[in-house]
């Protein structure tokens, strides 16, 4: 295969969903809200909460499921890319735990933090490594992508405007070099001027004392996720059609040719608005937000895994995937399955 025909093809998927359910009724006992408001404004009925595991433990389960389905040995994996905004640690990277946890001894591993666009960014990055492989550089044929989020750990459960949205989960995919099928195009962008629209600050900062010592700032230790929901909503309903239209154009594929448009599950109204703007049949935009809420970068690979395991994806199907989120980041990709 020469580099121009080395496509990045998703050959298998996996996911992990925590068992513990947090329903809208549960939330209505925590903040002033109710099931009707949450369903009408977001499409969410319940979400899952990880109360017992580290993020990397969830990530490893999802990654092992994708690897098992791929038929590859962990030793075949050249690169592990993990996407998360809720890593257990500032360092080491989540991907390093995954590399060890699945036994991908021949792989190098790193994280990306691109908010809810993480899967689209990771797939684009995997494709770049695969197509850039040439003698003298690290050869990358097989990539393990895992997107794993424990948003419950940064969610402020006294803030009704954001706590109703988020849930935990992990999704994974094995991506291989292929001469025929795979990623046809991608369009990824960032608008850093909107960075303050969604923030989860560092857990603590320091106060400098006059005597030259420093101490932890106790006021900062418990600060969680803050989001300007309206600003993100306005951004999303413009960014998604832009990303999808540009990716379709670059792939020379029409919206009618797509079997599915797999969109980040943030809010049913955002999904419906994008579908309408693009003139896509709503049946082509599967949703699982009712069950899981917004799981950030895990949402697209979890939905992809559901479709894949239900036997709904056939070789040669054309799919679009899309993501947007903190950063502000956004992007879309067109895939030939
Ligand atoms: N229950 C009841 N009432 C509520 C709730 C709630 N949970 N939350 C807000 N309200 C109230 C507000 O206080 C407001 O009351 P007021 O009119 O008296 O002031 C009213 O409902 C309407 O509030 P809006 O903010 O206008 O509600 P909106 O319809 O915009 O929905 C929402 C809010 C769901 C947050 C929406 O803006 C949204 O989905 N934004 C996008 C968020 C997103 O997609 N984030 C993804 C990125 S996250 C990441 O990257 C990790």
């Amino acid at each position: 295969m020469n580099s121009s025909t080395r496509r990045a093809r998703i050959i298998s998927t996996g996911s992990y969903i925590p068992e513990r359910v947090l329903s809208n009724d549960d939330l209505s006992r925590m903040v002033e809200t109710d099931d009707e408001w949450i369903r009408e404004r977001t499409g969410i009925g319940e979400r899952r909460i990880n109360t017992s595991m580290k993020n990397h433990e969830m990530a490893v389960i999802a990654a092992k499921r994708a690897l098992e389905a791929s038929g590859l040995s962990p030793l075949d994996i050249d690169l592990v890319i993990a996407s998360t905004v809720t890593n257990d640690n500032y360092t080491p990277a989540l991907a390093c735990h995954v590399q060890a946890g699945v036994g991908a001894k021949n792989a190098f591993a790193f994280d990306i933090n691109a908010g809810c666009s993480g899967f689209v960014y990771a797939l684009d990055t995997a494709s770049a490594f695969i197509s850039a492989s040439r003698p003298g550089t690290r050869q990358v044929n097989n990539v393990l992508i895992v997107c794993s989020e424990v948003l419950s750990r940064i969610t402020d459960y006294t803030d009704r405007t954001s706590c109703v949205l988020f849930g935990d989960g992990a999704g994974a995919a094995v991506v291989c070099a292929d001469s025929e099928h795979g990623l046809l195009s991608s369009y990824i962008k960032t608008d850093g001027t909107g960075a303050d629209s969604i923030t989860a600050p560092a857990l603590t900062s320091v106060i400098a004392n006059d005597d030259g010592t420093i101490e932890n700032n106790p006021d900062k230790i418990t600060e969680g996720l803050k989001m300007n929901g309206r600003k993100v909503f306005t951004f999303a309903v413009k960014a998604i059609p832009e990303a999808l239209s540009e990716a379709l154009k670059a792939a020379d594929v029409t919206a009618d040719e797509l079997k599915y448009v797999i969109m980040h599950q943030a809010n049913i109204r955002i999904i419906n608005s994008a579908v309408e703007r693009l003139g896509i049949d709503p049946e082509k935009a599967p949703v699982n937000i009712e069950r899981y809420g917004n799981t950030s970068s895990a949402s697209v690979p979890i939905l992809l895994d559901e479709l894949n395991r239900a036997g709904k994806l056939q070789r040669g199907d054309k799919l679009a995937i899309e993501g947007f989120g903190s950063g502000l980041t956004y992007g879309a990709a067109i895939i030939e399955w």
Side-chain angles (χ1 to χ4, degrees):
M1 272 185 273
N2 65 41
S3 65
S4 63
T5 57
R6 282 174 65 86
R7 291 217 159 104
R9 181 162 82 88
I10 299 173
I11 64 160
S12 66
T13 56
S15 61
Y16 171 76
I17 309 292
E19 278 173 25
R20 169 77 188 265
V21 173
L22 183 70
S23 69
N24 290 347
D25 288 339
D26 294 331
L27 279 161
S28 71
R29 291 192 296 277
M30 294 156 56
V31 288
E32 205 183 325
T33 192
D34 56 67
D35 181 61
E36 193 186 345
W37 192 97
I38 301 171
R39 281 182 192 275
E40 257 179 32
R41 298 294 184 110
T42 71
I44 301 168
E46 59 187 39
R47 67 289 294 139
R48 300 299 183 93
I49 304 296
N50 168 22
T51 52
S52 57
M53 282 186 209
K54 301 256 192 200
N55 188 345
H56 73 257
E57 293 174 294
M58 292 185 8
V60 167
I61 296 172
K64 280 186 172 169
R65 288 178 178 165
L67 258 177
E68 272 160 27
S70 75
L72 294 182
S73 151
L75 300 178
D76 295 328
I77 300 295
D78 303 303
L79 166 61
V80 178
I81 304 174
S83 160
T84 190
V85 297
T86 48
N87 191 11
D88 301 311
N89 311 293
Y90 291 121
T91 192
L94 179 65
C96 298
H97 282 293
V98 174
Q99 187 249 7
V102 303
K105 289 182 185 163
N106 298 320
F108 64 109
F110 60 84
D111 284 1
I112 59 171
N113 178 337
C116 308
S117 311
F119 186 71
V120 180
Y121 272 50
L123 186 60
D124 187 85
T125 305
S127 165
F129 272 99
I130 284 171
S131 59
S133 281
R134 65 181 74 86
T137 66
R138 174 72 198 239
Q139 297 295 295
V140 174
N141 291 315
N142 304 316
V143 183
L144 173 62
I145 295 175
V146 58
C147 304
S148 188
E149 305 284 7
V150 193
L151 292 169
S152 59
R153 301 218 175 121
I154 59 169
T155 298
D156 176 355
Y157 286 103
T158 65
D159 175 10
R160 69 174 181 171
T161 67
S162 63
C163 75
V164 300
L165 300 174
F166 301 114
D168 302 336
V174 174
V175 177
C176 297
D178 192 282
S179 56
E180 285 178 45
H181 298 275
L183 186 70
L184 299 180
S185 72
S186 62
Y187 177 84
I188 54 175
K189 277 193 90 174
T190 300
D191 177 7
T193 63
D196 62 359
S197 307
I198 312 165
T199 55
L203 291 181
T204 188
S205 63
V206 289
I207 297 170
N209 297 318
D210 291 341
D211 67 357
T213 61
I214 56 166
E215 59 186 304
N216 292 124
N217 179 350
D219 296 339
K220 290 278 184 178
I221 288 173
T222 56
E223 203 172 339
L225 183 141
K226 296 208 172 354
M227 182 183 70
N228 182 330
R230 280 186 203 181
K231 216 167 148 185
V232 179
F233 197 102
T234 309
F235 160 74
V237 295
K238 283 196 194 131
I240 300 168
E242 174 193 322
L244 283 168
S245 313
E246 293 295 331
L248 281 166
K249 210 180 346 166
D252 198 18
V253 168
T254 64
D256 286 344
E257 290 175 69
L258 296 173
K259 182 162 180 189
Y260 292 116
V261 182
I262 299 161
M263 299 179 48
H264 171 44
Q265 306 287 296
N267 184 320
I268 194 71
R269 291 184 295 142
I270 293 175
I271 294 171
N272 290 342
S273 155
V275 160
E276 198 178 313
R277 279 193 194 208
L278 287 158
I280 293 168
D281 176 359
E283 295 285 310
K284 288 186 176 181
V287 287
N288 62 11
I289 190 172
E290 202 273 338
R291 287 173 283 140
Y292 304 140
N294 178 349
T295 56
S296 191
S297 67
S299 90
V300 169
I302 288 172
L303 184 51
L304 195 60
D305 187 46
E306 284 189 351
L307 294 168
N308 192 19
R309 283 177 193 260
K312 293 185 175 171
L313 306 178
Q314 309 301 326
R315 194 101 200 247
D317 283 347
K318 291 196 175 72
L319 314 174
I321 59 170
E322 166 282 323
F324 71 90
S326 57
L328 295 164
T329 59
Y330 60 113
I334 309 300
I335 295 166
E336 194 169 32
W337 193 254

